[in-house]
Amino acid sequence: MHPVVKLVSQRLALGLILLIAASVLIFMGTLILPGDVAQSILGQSATPEALANLREELGLNEPAILRYFDWLFGALQGDLGTALTNGQDIATSIGRRLGNTLFLAFWAAVISVPLAIFLGLLAVRYRDRWPDKLISAVTLASISIPEFLIGYLLIYFVAVQLGWFSSVAMINDSMSLLEKLNAIALPVAVLTLVVLAHMMRMTRAAILNVMQSAYIETAELKGLSTFKVIARHAFPNAIAPIVNVVMLNLAYLVVGVVVIEVVFVYPGMGQYLVDHVSKRDVPVVQACGLIFAAVYIVLNMIADIVAILSNPRLRHPK
Amino acid sequence: MKDQLDFMTQSVTSGKMTRREFMGKTAALGISAAVAGSMFARAAEAAGPVKGGTLKLGSIGGGSTDSLDPAVAASQVPYHNLYQFGENLVNVTPEGGIENRVAESVEASADAKTWTFKIRKGVEFHNGKPVTAEDVMRTMERHSNEDSKSGALGIMRGIESMKADGDNFIVELTTPNADLPYLMADYHLMIQPDGGFDNPAAGIGSGAYMLEANEPGVRHMWKKNPNYWDDTRGHVDEVEIVVINDATARMAALQSGQVHIVNRVEPKVAGLLDRAPNLTVRNAAGPGHYVFIMHCDTAPFDNNELRLALKYAINREEMVDKVLRGYGSVGNDMPVNAAYPLFDDSIPQRPFDPAKAAEHYKKSGHDGSPITLRVSDVAFPGALDAAQLFQQSANAAGIPLELKREPGDGYWSEVWNAQPFCASYWGGRPVQDQMYSTAYLSTADWNDTRFKREDFDKLLFAARGELDEAKRKALYSQMGMMVRDEGGLICPMFNDFIEATSSKVQGWVVDSTGDTMAGKWSHKCWLA
């Protein structure tokens, strides 16, 4: 078998095993949490009878292992079931939420990834001179401030004082694309600031690393311009680590933005998951957990495949 | 002075003067805030409600797990949703009286055991079907039958039988209860077609607004019900409830004009918000109270001397100042205050008295080991701060109080009503009977202080069947004293409901019976 195909299929198998393991862990995690979904729904107004009746209705009296396999086989057939708390169809709710999350992540990525790579290249080009230092200082400052604080600062100055954008980034189907983009402007700005530094620094470090190589010296001795050396000779060889960090940040944009969703009241997956965890709504937590795990696994897989493809020794085995 | 007042009310009527200006100017004339408030309301009312527009509420307490089923509504957003589409038999008025809604009249037999609710003609559900006594009965059945998961199950227990007789819905009680209409005003008991047995979460009722979009945890849109029977209610075309759980985001949404009303304004920002132009902070003294509860049947709290020691060792004034920033009033170790009808305000206020606390502590014979108080900020906002203040004032009286910080997650199942001494919150009830039967009757489900006293139960039942108000008031007073001096409740403060609105919101009514005009903001307010 071609080593590339072999590696990819190994990755896929590993991914599936990881997914199943994640679902078991998530399920066990929700069992350890104090209280159950019935208790959480009724809260302080729970009488023992109402609790018993609700537990019966939700099937919580069945053994945990049975509930887990029920859910797993449903999920394998594409049926995620209904939320225990409000009876809404999980697939429909997640579909809408996931769409929103991907929408936000997409625009944050479209802005931050090219910007980060461009700034990284720029930093290498003007290494140790003021543009390099300025870029590093600004991006490091933005990654060091907690994201909620950046969010609140933007809300206060840009939304409340200047009134340019709305502080509530709530989008719905009846809005046009332009209205939606206007609504998500502030969270996209925060996310861009948060992920920029990591990708920029990695790009800079990876290219600088390659720049130490002998063939770069050759290229320089050939008399190529600094920019050409970086763009044509150094960058292609630094792709693997850059793609890795880009994928890691893309994964963060999808699964790690709960704080931003809360601050900007954005209807994405993070808030949806948190709501259901606090209500112990296991089927929904499972479904969200699996989707999040899948996002990580798939993006990491892509990073690996790109690394494999950009490696001539694997592409052309002896 | 009369001329000035006339001029000012005219300015209000013509929309030239805001509520705050009016209050400021009348205060300068020496008119009390309560009088001025009602004068303003009358003047604004005189201008008449404006029809149309979309009224938006930014509310805490919503999640993607929310349902429109009235039986399981427990937090603010579901509560507000119920008031959009649903309607009770009767409502409690801001003054604490009873107002007929789906019921046209309410009559009790002389012994207060049989109650007849005549159903109003011409009231229609959103699906076009008329509201019948049968629907009312089915609704009550759903909340009281044996498989009910309803939050109202506890209050439906005293019912012997129910029947629908023509236009009348008739309730027979096991024991007399002069307050039955107040129970029927509970927000869970929205009348639904066939009682909501087939599809309780459909959002169909007989209320002023009809479901347009339902996105739990995000927003809920309601549009005006064109067939609503009461023309004096429901002025706007659309109502939008936006879920904003984060306090800072909620205030920012109001300031940037994205919502017109926000609830749960934190006391620490209320003063700042009120200074902002075009915003008004609305606070109403309510029946909600922030408490520390002790189990009367668990050592060391089974000793009344120790309970008294702790009650004298708490500095109530300081808590109202520092935790509520003045948006509230001191409590008196009983769960009721002046927000209740028939409250006896001659009961003396218990002061902070370290010397007396030390004396009772000594008498209790406690061994001097630390007393553990469990606390989390989910108990009430500022609970940790309040507990620390309590710890300091108790230590000053020589009582060693130890704080144990509990995780907020699972607090209501693992700590509250389970541990012998913890911080908690009660939202209050419309009448004293309901408050006491919910938490102080020996057999109550939520007797979170384990206060079990036969003599107290007897007083409660006697007051429930007593139709003579003076006699009832005396009985309630006696019960209050019993809880105050022998109960397990330490009630340092009653919190105000604090909301804030943009100046576009007109028709606001100070309503101490519940959060955000007791849920009636969309019924009574309009957009100027």
Side-chain angles (χ1 to χ4, degrees):
Chain A
M1 198 192 281
H2 195 282
V4 173
V5 178
K6 195 177 161 202
L7 267 170
V8 170
S9 48
Q10 271 175 352
R11 276 253 153 266
L12 279 170
L14 190 68
L16 268 178
I17 295 168
L18 276 172
L19 270 178
I20 305 257
S23 79
V24 173
L25 279 177
I26 295 161
F27 190 81
M28 290 194 326
T30 49
L31 288 182
I32 297 168
L33 291 169
D36 65 1
V37 59
Q39 177 79 51
S40 304
I41 291 175
L42 297 172
Q44 207 190 357
S45 62
T47 62
E49 285 138 295
L51 267 182
N53 291 336
L54 189 55
R55 285 209 176 103
E56 181 68 42
E57 189 185 312
L58 297 176
L60 295 181
N61 297 331
E62 284 177 38
I65 186 97
L66 214 67
R67 280 187 281 143
Y68 172 72
F69 281 110
D70 262 2
W71 177 83
L72 190 66
F73 288 123
L76 288 177
Q77 292 159 17
D79 173 21
L80 292 174
T82 55
L84 296 179
T85 44
N86 58 3
Q88 290 215 339
D89 183 55
I90 295 176
T92 316
S93 312
I94 285 191
R96 191 184 295 151
R97 294 279 189 154
L98 190 61
N100 288 346
T101 289
L102 293 178
F103 183 70
L104 185 63
F106 172 79
W107 287 104
V110 160
I111 294 171
S112 63
V113 173
L115 191 63
I117 291 171
F118 173 73
L119 288 177
L121 291 173
L122 207 64
V124 173
R125 170 71 182 78
Y126 295 102
R127 187 185 165 195
D128 291 336
R129 284 156 62 188
W130 69 264
D132 180 25
K133 286 178 179 158
L134 181 73
I135 291 168
S136 287
V138 171
T139 51
L140 279 180
S142 74
I143 206 175
S144 309
I145 305 173
E147 54 203 277
F148 69 88
L149 186 63
I150 305 180
Y152 286 152
L153 288 174
L154 284 181
I155 286 178
Y156 182 72
F157 289 107
V158 184
V160 175
Q161 296 293 323
L162 298 171
W164 288 351
F165 296 105
S166 61
S167 69
V168 172
M170 202 167 272
I171 58 172
N172 58 58
D173 298 340
S174 61
M175 291 164 100
S176 69
L177 181 65
L178 211 63
E179 282 171 329
K180 282 185 182 176
L181 289 180
N182 185 56
I184 65 166
L186 292 187
V188 164
V190 176
L191 287 177
T192 302
L193 285 173
V194 168
V195 297
L196 199 58
H198 194 192
M199 290 191 286
M200 190 285 289
R201 307 267 317 161
M202 198 55 165
T203 307
R204 182 178 178 277
I207 295 175
L208 281 181
N209 195 25
V210 176
M211 294 288 275
Q212 315 289 333
S213 317
Y215 67 87
I216 297 293
E217 211 171 331
T218 314
E220 275 167 358
L221 289 174
K222 275 198 300 191
L224 294 179
S225 72
T226 320
F227 187 77
K228 225 170 195 169
V229 172
I230 294 172
R232 298 281 281 279
H233 295 263
F235 183 66
N237 286 289
I239 280 181
I242 294 173
V243 169
N244 238 318
V245 72
V246 166
M247 289 305 162
L248 209 61
N249 279 289
L250 288 187
Y252 166 81
L253 287 178
V254 177
V255 313
V257 297
V258 176
V259 175
I260 294 299
E261 288 180 8
V262 170
V263 168
F264 289 101
V265 201
Y266 189 77
M269 284 290 280
Q271 191 55 50
Y272 183 71
L273 174 62
V274 170
D275 284 348
H276 286 83
V277 169
S278 62
K279 291 270 168 129
R280 316 283 183 259
D281 197 335
V282 181
V284 181
V285 175
Q286 289 263 14
C288 293
L290 278 193
I291 288 172
F292 285 172
V295 167
Y296 257 102
I297 290 165
V298 168
L299 287 177
N300 273 305
M301 209 155 64
I302 293 173
D304 283 347
I305 291 169
V306 172
I308 292 164
L309 293 181
S310 71
N311 184 344
R313 267 170 300 192
L314 277 173
R315 246 186 312 171
H316 309 290
K318 283 194 184 124
Chain B
M1 191 170 111
K2 175 132 195 331
D3 289 351
Q4 275 170 297
L5 271 180
D6 282 347
F7 173 73
M8 280 192 280
T9 42
Q10 260 171 28
S11 307
V12 172
T13 312
S14 53
K16 284 180 194 139
M17 193 183 273
T18 66
R19 182 177 193 275
R20 191 142 35 123
E21 287 165 346
F22 182 80
M23 297 299 275
K25 286 187 177 150
T26 48
L29 292 173
I31 294 169
S32 81
V35 175
S38 62
M39 280 173 61
F40 175 83
R42 270 201 306 274
E45 207 63 47
V50 179
K51 301 279 176 187
T54 302
L55 184 60
K56 296 178 188 176
L57 169 75
S59 178
I60 194 177
S64 34
T65 48
D66 288 342
S67 159
L68 293 177
D69 180 355
V72 295
S75 56
Q76 287 83 359
V77 170
Y79 169 84
H80 286 297
N81 278 329
L82 294 190
Y83 278 107
Q84 307 315 314
F85 74 83
E87 195 154 38
N88 292 100
L89 278 176
V90 294
N91 279 168
V92 180
T93 67
E95 295 77 32
I98 285 289
E99 170 192 28
N100 298 326
R101 301 306 298 171
V102 171
E104 191 176 61
S105 67
V106 182
E107 271 166 45
S109 62
D111 62 356
K113 271 180 94 168
T114 308
W115 287 81
T116 307
F117 297 85
K118 185 164 190 258
I119 306 306
R120 195 182 291 278
K121 284 233 163 59
V123 182
E124 230 174 55
F125 287 119
H126 300 159
N127 60 11
K129 289 189 184 140
V131 178
T132 64
E134 188 74 21
D135 293 312
V136 175
M137 191 188 70
R138 293 284 282 165
T139 301
M140 300 307 160
E141 254 175 32
R142 193 170 83 88
H143 290 274
S144 63
N145 72 15
E146 287 189 349
D147 331 310
S148 173
K149 56 186 177 183
S150 174
L153 184 57
I155 63 174
M156 298 294 285
R157 224 169 254 146
I159 293 176
E160 167 84 39
S161 69
M162 295 182 290
K163 66 174 181 213
D165 178 17
D167 286 341
N168 293 328
F169 165 61
I170 301 163
V171 182
E172 291 274 357
L173 300 175
T174 45
T175 52
N177 190 347
D179 282 337
L180 183 77
Y182 286 93
L183 302 185
M184 292 292 148
D186 185 277
Y187 63 90
H188 296 98
L189 304 179
M190 296 296 176
I191 310 302
Q192 290 179 283
D194 194 36
F197 271 98
D198 37 349
N199 189 1
I204 291 179
S206 63
Y209 298 97
M210 296 158 69
L211 185 62
E212 199 177 338
N214 181 33
E215 298 172 37
V218 184
R219 61 179 202 135
H220 305 270
M221 286 290 291
W222 304 90
K223 59 173 190 277
K224 174 83 176 133
N225 171 8
N227 297 329
Y228 188 57
W229 60 275
D230 185 355
D231 293 337
T232 63
R233 292 276 189 100
H235 306 300
V236 294
D237 290 338
E238 276 183 320
V239 175
E240 182 170 11
I241 298 171
V242 184
V243 180
I244 312 180
N245 291 318
D246 183 71
T248 313
R250 202 159 62 247
M251 300 312 131
L254 176 70
Q255 283 172 288
S256 62
Q258 287 178 299
V259 295
H260 300 111
I261 306 172
V262 290
N263 58 9
R264 285 287 171 95
V265 177
E266 292 177 332
K268 63 185 174 203
V269 300
L272 295 170
L273 214 55
D274 204 27
R275 266 189 264 154
N278 302 323
L279 298 184
T280 311
V281 169
R282 321 269 191 172
N283 58 312
H289 42 297
Y290 295 170
V291 296
F292 299 104
I293 48 181
M294 307 176 276
H295 284 183
C296 298
D297 62 356
T298 311
F301 309 104
D302 51 355
N303 180 334
N304 196 39
E305 291 297 332
L306 184 79
R307 296 203 294 267
L308 277 174
L310 286 167
K311 286 175 185 175
Y312 278 109
I314 195 163
N315 190 338
R316 297 173 172 76
E317 303 282 350
E318 187 186 28
M319 277 196 196
V320 172
D321 274 2
K322 292 187 178 160
V323 177
L324 298 178
R325 309 271 170 143
Y327 287 95
S329 55
V330 291
N332 198 12
D333 299 335
M334 37 184 185
V336 296
N337 64 351
Y340 287 85
L342 304 183
F343 176 73
D344 177 7
D345 44 19
S346 67
I347 297 178
Q349 172 66 44
R350 174 168 287 133
F352 169 52
D353 190 338
K356 229 172 181 171
E359 197 182 299
H360 283 291
Y361 183 65
K362 210 172 148 220
K363 259 198 242 167
S364 76
H366 189 253
D367 58 8
S369 59
I371 298 167
T372 307
L373 169 62
R374 287 160 206 271
V375 64
S376 156
D377 261 342
V378 301
F380 58 83
L384 281 171
D385 300 338
Q388 272 160 5
L389 290 173
F390 189 12
Q391 187 183 29
Q392 280 170 17
S393 61
N395 285 352
I399 303 173
L401 206 58
E402 177 190 74
L403 302 186
K404 185 157 188 292
R405 222 181 139 161
E406 295 281 350
D409 217 28
Y411 189 82
W412 299 116
S413 54
E414 304 293 303
V415 180
W416 176 74
N417 217 354
Q419 294 290 346
F421 191 24
C422 71
S424 181
Y425 169 69
W426 274 99
R429 293 292 185 271
V431 283
Q432 297 192 47
D433 174 71
Q434 205 185 337
M435 188 65 232
Y436 285 126
S437 343
T438 310
Y440 298 88
L441 184 67
S442 300
T443 54
D445 288 319
W446 306 329
N447 190 332
D448 58 5
T449 55
R450 307 283 189 274
F451 179 71
K452 288 169 186 169
R453 292 272 300 260
E454 240 173 76
D455 45 352
F456 179 88
D457 297 352
K458 270 188 195 142
L459 286 173
L460 182 66
F461 292 130
R464 196 181 277 178
E466 180 60 66
L467 290 172
D468 179 334
E469 291 212 340
K471 281 187 193 155
R472 279 183 97 196
K473 189 170 170 178
L475 289 170
Y476 283 136
S477 176
Q478 219 178 323
M479 287 157 58
M481 284 303 281
M482 208 180 259
V483 172
R484 173 182 181 270
D485 294 337
E486 289 155 58
L489 178 78
I490 303 174
C491 173
M493 52 193 156
F494 282 82
N495 62 299
D496 283 0
F497 298 112
I498 316 176
E499 288 100 30
T501 67
S502 88
S503 55
K504 283 186 188 155
V505 176
Q506 296 287 316
W508 190 274
V509 181
V510 176
D511 191 332
S512 59
T513 62
D515 179 3
T516 323
M517 291 175 63
K520 322 286 190 326
W521 52 279
S522 62
H523 300 234
K524 298 182 183 173
C525 290
W526 64 90
L527 287 166

